Amino acid sequence: MQSREIRDLFLKFFQKRDHAILESASLIPANDPSLLWTSAGMVPFKPYFTGAAVPERRRVATCQKCLRTPDIESVGKTARHLTFFEMLGNFSFGDYFKEEAIPWAWEFVASDLQIDPERLWISVYLEDDDAFRFWRKVGVPEERIIRLGKETNFWEIGIGPCGPCSEIHYDFGPESACGPDCRVGCDCDRFLELWNLVFTEFYRDEEGNYTPLERKGIDTGMGLERAAAVVQGVKSGFETDLFRTLTGEIAEILKVSHGTDAKADMAVKIIADHARAVTFAIADGALPSNEGRGYVIRRLLRRAVRFGVLFGANRPFLDRVILHIQNKMGGVYPELVEKQNHVLQVVKAEEERFLETLSQGTEMLSRKVDELAGSGSRTLSGEVAFRLYDTYGFPLELTEEICAEHGIAVNRDGFAAAMAGQRERGRRAREATEYLGERERLFKQIREETGETRFVGYFTLETPVKILALASNGKRVETAGTGATVDVVIDGTPFYAEAGGQVSDTGILTGLDLKAEVEWAESPVEGLIVHRVRVTEGTLSEGSVVTASVDTARRRHTARNHTVTHLLHRSLKAVLGPHVNQAGSLVAPERLRFDFTHYRQLTAEELGRIEATINQAILAALPVEAFETTMAEAREMGAVALFGEKYGDRVRVVRIGDFSIELCGGTHLRNTLEAGITKIITEGSVASGVRRIEAVTGEGALAFLNGVVEDYQRIAALLKAPPRDLSLRVAALADSLKELTRENETLKDKVAAFEVLDLLNRVQAVEGVNVLAAKVSNADMAQLRSLTDILRERLGSGVIILGSAVGEKVNIIVAVTRDLIPRGMHAGTIIKKVARVVDGGGGGRPELAQAGGKNPARLDDALREGLMSVKEGLVGKEKLETC
């Protein structure tokens, strides 16, 4: 049975049992800042389990794309660990419970998948007698049901819904055991957790008390890769049809044979797993970067490349791997086909950049090895090893391997300490989100009490409203006086809450002897709009009726920029191609910012065409229409949906004539003519494969253009040229500047030639060796290096020590020709003595070293110390003292 058959069989099994079969959600969780990735099948339904939202259907089944990275170091080493996997799951939101979930799970595994029941073991929570009873009822022998403790068989994530869980385990047999005491729950590869059934039946409060839920839930998850391994009679997901041809392709690229080298096998598995994760994540809208989920993608991609490099893949190879994944899985996940070129381009750019970074890291490590050799030390610090790991992507093993070739050890404890420091910084960052969780709980309680907020801002900007709740610092309050800032919930609101890239409305609340400024509006839990309000006059009280008024000018400017954002999106696709997709946006009153997928800088001609397309659509006076429809009908219309956004069965569509149609909940103009004019002001890169355009519209565009004209006129006045001839005048000035620059460089070369001759006249002979220790006027390090190269070429053989005072700093360089290194000359050793005199420090390789200092007054003394050091090295200290 192939994996595709298992996937289809599972979904059809639960479809027959009245479950709605939903498509996999994006790997990027919708509207959930607490999660980087969709790491389990229940993540898209998290609001239903926590009570933050009401489900449209009570029974659901999915095959969900998942990504987990906590065990990344175990991938390829064990039979069960993967970063990307597919999770088969059935869910009940207050409908059926254990009595149905357990028999269905057993029926599917034993009958539909035809897995030998003699190989199956069951684990239940220690105190879950109901689950034990239902497993016995379907025929599982008592001795095959194991009771386990809370640490493994009770699911909870702090305050909120929780409950016991029960797992189906597959036994690969005693020959796979780690020892005679091996049993269910062991970390070895004998018992494979096949299916986990979570029974959400309690609510845990702040004090740790567990209260039974009125509506109990079911959340199950079975890894498709694990199910395929068991059904296909192999011990690892890497041996199933999901991976078999992929690992074969990678082995061919690396020129290794499966089963002949354990390290090569591990590298192949790691590349296969990480490439799958990267392919799906980028297709879902993630992009490599240095933070958040972008950092995860970058780490996975670079880790795959690193393991390829270890086996000789020094040129980009992931495009071939990813194309194989897209072709194999595109039939199940059409986004892989739709985003094929985008994914390949992003990966190629990132891989090329990383190979270059690896080269830079190798150079850095070589310098460190030379410095250690010069100083006599035989240990590379853990901090340097970690910097190579974190910045240049060097695995610790690679650093150790290179260092070992030079007889140098790596401080593993220091590396571990630096790694622990990074993890601690990450932990503190996670703790910063806890207050957000407290606010969410408070507003969920308020929503249960007050109901959802009606948004009337599409139709009116001013309306009487009732104050339903006030909160301050995460706690309910009844009143707020002058000067207080509070969160306010009202029964209906004209204020748009920040969402979809559009900033929130602002405005005022007014009443008898009351005035309060609405600073922003947000939706911390689904269906509830909360207003941050600062009371400027009077007292705001729960239960009072006030007038809510939106700042109409700000709303109008924001609507103008939002409508033009849609025009820009469509224009980009028209000019650059259908691969362009939104990767982020900001719609504010004063400007708009639009991030989109593209692989290179836009030309001036392309920007001109995009801007012209937008303005033509504005002047065409196209009607802007917003309406609700079903998701299926919106797709039939060709409406553009955005990755990472969560959509229900009913969606809001914004259509601009025949020019653009998108799913959107924002506020818009009624006609494109109201936008006036659009001017693109910047275009640039924000990440690998992502560009950014910023633009202004209406009054903002006029103000920008007026500013440009004023600057133009001022420049014309300065150059004493007619405005229309300004470009010619500037071109002439540029040519003149180039000529002056050439003349200046010629003069510098002549001065340098005289300086070289002067320095050569100061060369001394020590034991037949040319030695120069001299001061140079006002030279930076780059100039000293250039001068040293010329002197070294002219001398042929010798030792050069140059120093220069620049302000309060000292620059020093020492060069030793290679023929003198066997005679004990070492630039790094000499420069340490020289730098110490000017209160500085430095180092380098035997043939070249540089240093800085903070005491220019002692530069002459430092150069004398350098000369003495060379003489001691060539003559010998005792002989020199006798002379």
Side-chain angles (χ1 to χ4, degrees):
M1 190 184 293
Q2 298 295 293
S3 56
R4 186 161 191 163
E5 295 174 73
I6 298 171
R7 191 189 294 114
D8 292 343
L9 196 64
F10 178 88
L11 296 176
K12 287 176 181 175
F13 179 91
F14 284 100
Q15 188 175 39
K16 291 176 183 175
R17 288 153 182 82
D18 299 324
H19 287 63
I21 307 304
L22 303 184
E23 294 179 358
S24 172
S26 169
L27 280 174
I28 301 174
N31 306 318
D32 191 342
S34 68
L35 296 174
L36 280 183
W37 301 106
T38 299
S39 57
M42 64 78 63
V43 168
F45 311 118
K46 182 180 169 186
Y48 304 152
F49 284 109
T50 62
V54 178
E56 295 176 2
R57 299 179 179 90
R58 295 289 178 184
R59 295 185 179 192
V60 167
T62 63
C63 179
Q64 175 62 49
K65 301 174 291 187
C66 297
L67 201 158
R68 294 180 186 173
T69 56
D71 299 318
I72 187 172
E73 303 294 341
S74 299
V75 172
K77 298 177 182 177
T78 72
R80 61 188 185 278
H81 283 102
L82 299 169
T83 58
F84 173 84
F85 57 94
E86 297 173 76
M87 184 174 281
L88 303 167
N90 59 291
F91 307 89
S92 166
F93 313 117
D95 190 349
Y96 62 87
F97 201 47
K98 298 177 191 178
E99 191 169 1
E100 294 86 359
I102 288 174
W104 286 342
W106 185 257
E107 180 184 352
F108 181 75
V109 169
S111 299
D112 291 60
L113 296 185
Q114 298 179 14
I115 297 174
D116 182 2
E118 295 298 315
R119 290 273 191 170
L120 298 177
W121 290 71
I122 305 298
S123 67
V124 297
Y125 177 50
L126 203 61
E127 301 173 5
D128 194 350
D129 295 331
D130 288 341
F132 184 92
R133 186 173 71 258
F134 290 130
W135 284 116
R136 288 286 294 116
K137 193 173 180 180
V138 298
V140 180
E142 184 173 339
E143 63 272 15
R144 286 186 174 272
I145 304 175
I146 309 299
R147 292 181 183 265
L148 296 176
K150 196 171 183 179
E151 65 279 1
T152 60
N153 277 58
F154 195 95
W155 178 84
E156 58 185 340
I157 50 172
I159 297 169
C162 57
C165 56
S166 181
E167 299 157 331
I168 302 176
H169 299 263
Y170 182 81
D171 183 2
F172 281 105
E175 63 275 14
S176 300
C178 58
D181 297 327
C182 185
R183 63 194 298 271
V184 171
C186 182
D187 285 335
C188 75
D189 289 331
R190 174 178 176 177
F191 294 99
L192 178 71
E193 179 194 320
L194 184 61
W195 199 347
N196 186 14
L197 286 66
V198 178
F199 310 123
T200 310
E201 56 180 314
F202 300 109
Y203 184 91
R204 180 183 173 181
D205 62 22
E206 290 84 348
E207 284 75 37
N209 300 313
Y210 295 90
T211 306
L213 290 171
E214 183 180 346
R215 288 183 174 274
K216 296 173 172 55
I218 291 291
D219 158 23
T220 84
M222 173 167 55
L224 176 62
E225 293 78 4
R226 295 186 178 192
V230 171
V231 171
Q232 294 172 18
V234 294
K235 291 190 174 182
S236 164
F238 292 107
E239 300 173 61
T240 67
D241 66 302
L242 283 162
F243 279 92
R244 200 175 298 118
T245 58
L246 177 60
T247 53
E249 179 93 2
I250 296 166
E252 184 179 312
I253 292 170
L254 301 186
K255 297 179 173 58
V256 298
S257 298
H258 178 68
T260 59
D261 183 339
K263 288 186 177 180
D265 285 351
M266 184 176 75
V268 168
K269 292 173 183 177
I270 288 169
I271 293 168
D273 169 79
H274 291 8
R276 291 205 328 156
V278 166
T279 302
F280 277 89
I282 295 176
D284 274 359
L287 290 163
S289 70
N290 288 328
E291 58 185 17
R293 60 178 62 94
Y295 178 77
V296 174
I297 294 305
R298 178 161 283 168
R299 183 185 179 200
L300 288 168
L301 196 152
R302 291 184 170 190
R303 196 163 185 263
V305 173
R306 283 201 316 255
F307 277 94
V309 169
L310 286 174
F311 286 87
N314 295 314
R315 300 179 65 183
F317 67 92
L318 281 182
D319 55 343
R320 183 172 158 188
V321 178
I322 284 169
L323 191 59
H324 186 104
I325 295 166
Q326 291 169 327
N327 291 336
K328 183 175 183 62
M329 304 195 73
V332 181
Y333 298 102
E335 63 270 20
L336 297 186
V337 178
E338 294 165 8
K339 303 291 181 183
Q340 184 176 83
N341 291 333
H342 168 63
V343 174
L344 290 170
Q345 291 279 3
V346 170
V347 169
K348 183 181 179 183
E350 182 71 14
E351 188 176 11
E352 289 175 345
R353 186 180 295 111
F354 179 54
L355 286 171
E356 183 179 333
T357 302
L358 270 178
S359 176
Q360 294 169 354
T362 303
E363 291 177 12
M364 174 189 167
L365 183 55
S366 296
R367 288 197 303 272
K368 292 295 181 183
V369 167
D370 288 342
E371 289 175 15
L372 289 170
S375 65
S377 174
R378 311 308 297 166
T379 304
L380 184 76
S381 74
E383 290 79 6
V384 172
F386 181 74
R387 196 183 323 141
L388 285 164
Y389 169 83
D390 196 45
T391 304
Y392 297 101
F394 271 55
L396 180 60
E397 294 75 15
L398 180 59
T399 301
E400 288 179 321
E401 186 179 319
I402 294 172
C403 286
E405 293 171 0
H406 300 273
I408 293 172
V410 177
N411 186 338
R412 273 185 165 262
D413 291 341
F415 178 88
M419 179 73 84
Q422 186 188 65
R423 287 173 178 158
E424 174 62 18
R425 289 189 292 274
R427 184 190 64 78
R428 288 197 296 266
R430 288 192 298 273
E431 286 178 351
T433 66
E434 287 185 357
Y435 174 67
L436 177 63
E438 291 174 6
R439 291 186 77 236
E440 285 179 342
R441 285 193 290 275
L442 171 65
F443 291 122
K444 190 179 79 170
Q445 292 168 0
I446 291 175
R447 188 194 60 195
E448 290 172 356
E449 176 188 321
T450 65
E452 296 187 355
T453 309
R454 290 179 299 106
F455 176 62
V456 297
Y458 292 137
F459 316 107
T460 182
L461 299 184
E462 185 173 284
T463 184
V465 298
K466 183 178 180 181
I467 307 296
L468 299 180
L470 303 175
S472 177
N473 296 322
K475 295 181 180 179
R476 294 283 293 270
V477 295
E478 293 184 357
T479 62
T482 302
T485 298
V486 290
D487 291 325
V488 179
V489 176
I490 53 184
D491 58 346
T493 182
F495 294 99
Y496 180 83
E498 182 171 342
Q502 179 178 326
V503 300
S504 77
D505 285 326
T506 62
I508 58 173
L509 299 179
T510 56
L512 188 63
D513 299 325
L514 170 73
K515 185 175 181 181
E517 295 179 359
V518 178
E519 297 177 341
W520 76 75
E522 61 173 338
S523 183
V525 295
E526 187 177 338
L528 190 75
I529 296 178
V530 178
H531 311 73
R532 178 58 58 88
V533 173
R534 184 170 62 87
V535 182
T536 55
E537 295 177 23
T539 300
L540 193 61
S541 304
E542 188 175 304
S544 60
V545 176
V546 298
T547 299
S549 306
V550 174
D551 182 332
T552 55
R554 176 184 166 91
R555 165 71 80 86
R556 184 171 60 252
H557 296 324
T558 304
R560 183 183 290 125
N561 284 331
H562 203 153
T563 297
V564 169
T565 296
H566 285 217
L567 298 179
L568 171 60
H569 192 182
R570 182 66 189 87
S571 299
L572 285 166
K573 286 180 177 287
V575 173
L576 302 179
H579 67 277
V580 169
N581 281 294
Q582 182 172 337
S585 70
L586 171 69
V587 178
E590 65 278 359
R591 66 189 173 105
L592 68 91
R593 185 182 73 212
F594 191 79
D595 297 346
F596 58 97
T597 53
H598 195 54
Y599 320 112
R600 58 170 174 78
Q601 182 179 358
L602 273 64
T603 65
E605 186 269 338
E606 287 170 333
L607 283 171
R609 286 170 57 198
I610 291 162
E611 188 177 279
T613 304
I614 296 169
N615 284 313
Q616 286 166 9
I618 291 171
L619 294 174
L622 301 175
V624 181
E625 178 188 8
F627 57 91
E628 282 196 2
T629 185
T630 64
M631 186 66 183
E633 289 174 349
R635 282 177 174 162
E636 287 180 13
M637 296 175 190
V640 175
L642 304 182
F643 278 118
E645 289 293 322
K646 182 179 178 182
Y647 300 106
D649 285 343
R650 300 288 299 177
V651 293
R652 186 171 184 264
V653 177
V654 173
R655 180 164 53 198
I656 305 175
D658 293 328
F659 188 82
S660 165
I661 181 168
E662 292 191 21
L663 303 186
C664 181
T667 60
H668 286 268
L669 305 172
R670 290 168 296 180
N671 189 288
T672 57
L673 199 57
E674 296 174 44
I677 187 175
T678 295
K679 183 64 187 172
I680 294 174
I681 54 175
T682 64
E683 188 276 334
S685 172
V686 290
S688 177
V690 180
R691 310 295 299 180
R692 171 175 290 175
I693 279 178
E694 294 196 23
V696 286
T697 65
E699 291 98 323
L702 287 175
F704 175 80
L705 293 171
N706 286 335
V708 171
V709 170
E710 288 172 9
D711 286 345
Y712 192 77
Q713 291 170 338
R714 278 195 292 270
I715 295 168
L718 287 170
L719 298 179
K720 296 181 173 58
R724 296 189 67 82
D725 295 337
L726 193 56
S727 60
L728 296 174
R729 179 70 173 134
V730 171
L733 282 172
D735 290 339
S736 177
L737 181 61
K738 285 179 184 177
E739 183 60 33
L740 289 171
T741 302
R742 277 194 294 269
E743 291 177 9
N744 188 40
E745 291 300 323
T746 302
L747 289 172
K748 280 185 178 179
D749 291 342
K750 289 180 179 178
V751 171
F754 282 117
E755 194 165 22
V756 169
L757 288 173
D758 178 59
L759 290 170
L760 288 172
N761 289 331
R762 290 191 252 170
V763 173
Q764 303 178 38
V766 179
E767 293 291 302
V769 173
N770 293 320
V771 181
L772 172 63
K775 183 161 63 174
V776 179
S777 300
N778 204 38
D780 61 23
M781 193 61 75
Q783 291 169 318
L784 286 181
R785 280 197 298 268
S786 178
L787 200 55
T788 300
D789 289 341
I790 297 170
L791 289 167
R792 193 160 38 185
E793 186 178 339
R794 298 287 288 272
L795 284 176
S797 172
V799 179
I800 301 164
I801 307 170
L802 299 180
S804 181
V806 182
E808 297 300 314
K809 295 182 180 180
V810 178
N811 297 317
I812 304 169
I813 194 165
V814 176
V816 174
T817 54
R818 290 185 178 275
D819 61 304
L820 298 177
I821 293 174
R823 293 186 61 179
M825 293 293 95
H826 191 295
T829 303
I830 297 169
I831 206 160
K832 288 183 186 298
K833 296 178 179 179
V834 176
R836 197 178 300 124
V837 178
V838 289
D839 301 334
R845 303 189 299 277
E847 66 271 18
L848 185 67
Q850 60 188 48
K854 297 175 283 188
N855 192 347
R858 297 203 62 196
L859 179 56
D860 290 332
D861 295 337
L863 293 170
R864 280 192 289 272
E865 177 66 25
L867 182 59
M868 186 61 68
S869 175
V870 174
K871 288 180 178 180
E872 287 178 0
L874 293 171
V875 178
K877 188 173 183 179
E878 292 181 3
K879 186 177 179 182
L880 187 64
E881 288 175 350
T882 302
C883 291

